Amino acid sequence: MAVVQDKITLVGNRHSRRVQGFVAAAARGGCAVNVVPYVDAISGRCPPPTEGVVRLDSPGEDADAYRAILRAGIAPLRMASGEPLDQDGIERLELARGAIVRPRQWFFGFREILHQLAVDWNDPRIRWMSTPAAVSTAFDKLACLERWSQLPTPRRIPQVWSYAELREAVKQRHARLFLKLRYGYAAMGAVALEWRDGNIRAITTVETCVSGATSQLYVSKRPQVLRREAEIAWLVDRLAAEELVVEEWLPKARWLGRPFDVRAVVIGGEVQHVVGRANASPFTNLNLDAVRISRDDLMHHLGGRWPEMTELCAAAARELPDAGMLGIDVLVRPGGKQFALLEANAFGDYLPGLLHQGLSTWDAEVRWLRGRKELAA
């Protein structure tokens, strides 16, 4: 099958490793890629594509794109009765690596930009690898969980906006809760919280740096342990202002003594790359130096439950049918006999070095795209 060149338009940061990885895979597959930076897509400086596939990639690792997305979030956040950072404040931001900066405003801006791209890039001859609406939904943890209402997920606590509201909502003497930013990613703003009578402990990926009268939150690879309730309440209040998803903190199965979960990459509705993630802390994200567990080891560990786990991932992806690729995270209960969906990731294919049937995630995506009519000569 011959492949027509220049048929893939990729919106992303051309200097990021994930974009470079996909471009290299496309070249191996005989496809050329036109990379459009987010700032150009937002400003309209580049003409809309008129044919082929459009791939939306992560806007990460680009400070100019981050600021542009925050600016786009000012009006929609204000419409939602939020208090956005204004234009001047955005320009003064120091976007240090790992800083947690206005994730709710960022999401509102990103959703607005994706919606506008869907309106402006409307030639009937183009096809989205994942539609803008699907990417927006995958970025919204609560929206995903609502799509998965008929699938197994951790029990969820109704939305709270403060630590006081959380304690009012959960009155049990002993509780284990997992708090995540609704619009976070890569373990940003995650808190594993437990209290028993008067004892309380929070394990979190958040590190707080104080300078004078101001404080800045960062993602830390080394989990922080907090034991003073006032300190925990302050952190929960800060995170709740950006919207939280609060779930039951379920125990995980263990691999060599460490709790683990599973990331499955679903491409075109088919579960392909699968990797286990084990860590000594409650947070198993690979960017936090979790240990990879191979597909073969996972299959051996889960035994006859393996097909059930992969079918659950496929079922989760079917609830977002316009997403050509999704990373699906699955919790494995102790004993390996029960599973719970945790979240979806629109950009969940960044697994360098992981092969399935001899292909990287990006190679597998190119193979899938080559089978689509718009890439075939």
Side-chain angles (χ1 to χ4, degrees):
M1 178 185 294
V3 178
V4 180
Q5 293 290 307
D6 299 316
K7 290 293 187 180
I8 301 177
T9 300
L10 187 155
V11 184
N13 175 8
R14 61 167 48 95
H15 302 295
S16 75
R17 288 169 292 180
R18 60 171 61 245
V19 168
Q20 291 173 354
F22 182 85
V23 170
R28 288 191 293 271
C31 302
V33 180
N34 176 35
V35 178
V36 177
Y38 267 93
V39 289
D40 290 348
I42 293 167
S43 66
R45 286 197 292 265
C46 67
T50 58
E51 59 183 344
V53 169
V54 178
R55 172 185 169 90
L56 297 167
D57 216 312
S58 169
E61 302 178 47
D62 185 337
D64 291 337
Y66 202 98
R67 287 190 173 89
I69 293 169
L70 285 176
R71 286 193 292 269
I74 293 174
L77 181 55
R78 189 172 287 131
M79 288 286 291
S81 301
E83 297 181 3
L85 187 65
D86 63 17
Q87 297 266 10
D88 291 341
I90 291 170
E91 294 308 313
R92 291 195 300 269
L93 280 174
E94 295 184 10
L95 297 173
R97 183 176 179 84
I100 301 173
V101 180
R102 300 279 179 154
R104 189 176 183 223
Q105 182 171 340
W106 185 94
F107 172 78
F108 277 51
F110 191 48
R111 183 177 60 186
E112 184 72 15
I113 287 164
L114 294 182
H115 173 73
Q116 195 59 49
L117 279 181
V119 171
D120 295 341
W121 292 15
N122 60 4
D123 193 296
R125 291 171 294 178
I126 71 170
R127 299 291 183 271
W128 298 91
M129 181 171 170
S130 293
T131 65
V135 172
S136 294
T137 301
F139 245 97
D140 182 342
K141 290 181 174 58
L142 181 58
C144 279
L145 291 169
E146 289 173 345
R147 293 281 186 103
W148 295 340
S149 61
Q150 302 304 308
L151 299 172
T153 59
R155 183 175 62 87
R156 193 167 73 250
I157 307 302
Q159 186 171 21
V160 297
W161 293 97
S162 68
Y163 178 75
E165 287 186 14
L166 177 62
R167 292 305 298 255
E168 181 64 24
V170 183
K171 298 181 181 296
Q172 291 95 323
R173 292 172 54 194
H174 179 214
R176 285 168 48 92
L177 303 171
F178 208 93
L179 287 61
K180 299 183 282 190
L181 285 173
R182 177 174 176 177
Y183 310 116
Y185 51 89
M188 174 193 295
V191 181
L193 176 62
E194 180 176 17
W195 65 73
R196 185 189 297 270
D197 295 325
N199 298 317
I200 186 168
R201 180 187 66 164
I203 308 171
T204 179
T205 61
V206 179
E207 183 175 4
T208 304
C209 293
V210 179
S211 177
T214 64
S215 59
Q216 174 61 55
L217 306 184
Y218 292 87
V219 178
S220 172
K221 281 194 172 186
R222 178 178 296 177
Q224 311 293 302
V225 180
L226 310 179
R227 298 184 184 277
R228 293 192 298 112
E229 187 166 30
E231 189 177 20
I232 293 168
W234 179 88
L235 176 61
V236 172
D237 287 349
R238 281 286 298 267
L239 296 175
E242 301 291 343
E243 287 197 64
L244 286 170
V245 172
V246 182
E247 300 172 328
E248 181 183 6
W249 177 9
L250 294 175
K252 295 178 178 178
R254 290 180 174 266
W255 173 262
L256 301 180
R258 295 182 174 187
F260 78 93
D261 62 14
V262 175
R263 161 66 59 86
V265 180
V266 184
I267 301 171
E270 179 184 347
V271 176
Q272 299 205 24
H273 298 70
V274 180
V275 63
R277 310 178 301 180
N279 211 346
S281 81
F283 314 109
T284 54
N285 302 67
L286 294 176
N287 65 301
L288 301 183
D289 295 334
V291 175
R292 290 188 182 190
I293 307 171
S294 73
R295 184 191 191 98
D296 287 346
D297 285 339
L298 281 174
M299 292 179 70
H300 178 75
H301 189 80
L302 296 179
R305 296 287 181 171
W306 172 263
E308 180 183 340
M309 190 274 293
T310 56
E311 172 52 31
L312 177 60
C313 295
R318 286 195 292 271
E319 296 300 323
L320 287 87
D322 294 326
M325 185 283 300
L326 283 172
I328 303 292
D329 294 343
V330 182
L331 181 144
V332 182
R333 300 291 294 268
K337 295 182 179 181
Q338 291 181 299
F339 308 97
L341 293 167
L342 297 176
E343 56 191 70
N345 190 321
F347 308 130
D349 56 354
Y350 186 68
L351 295 167
L354 183 67
L355 302 181
H356 175 55
Q357 298 178 347
L359 300 177
S360 71
T361 54
W362 300 307
D363 289 309
E365 289 161 14
V366 171
R367 180 180 64 179
W368 173 64
L369 289 173
R370 288 185 64 181
R372 300 177 68 172
K373 183 178 179 181
E374 59 270 16
L375 285 182

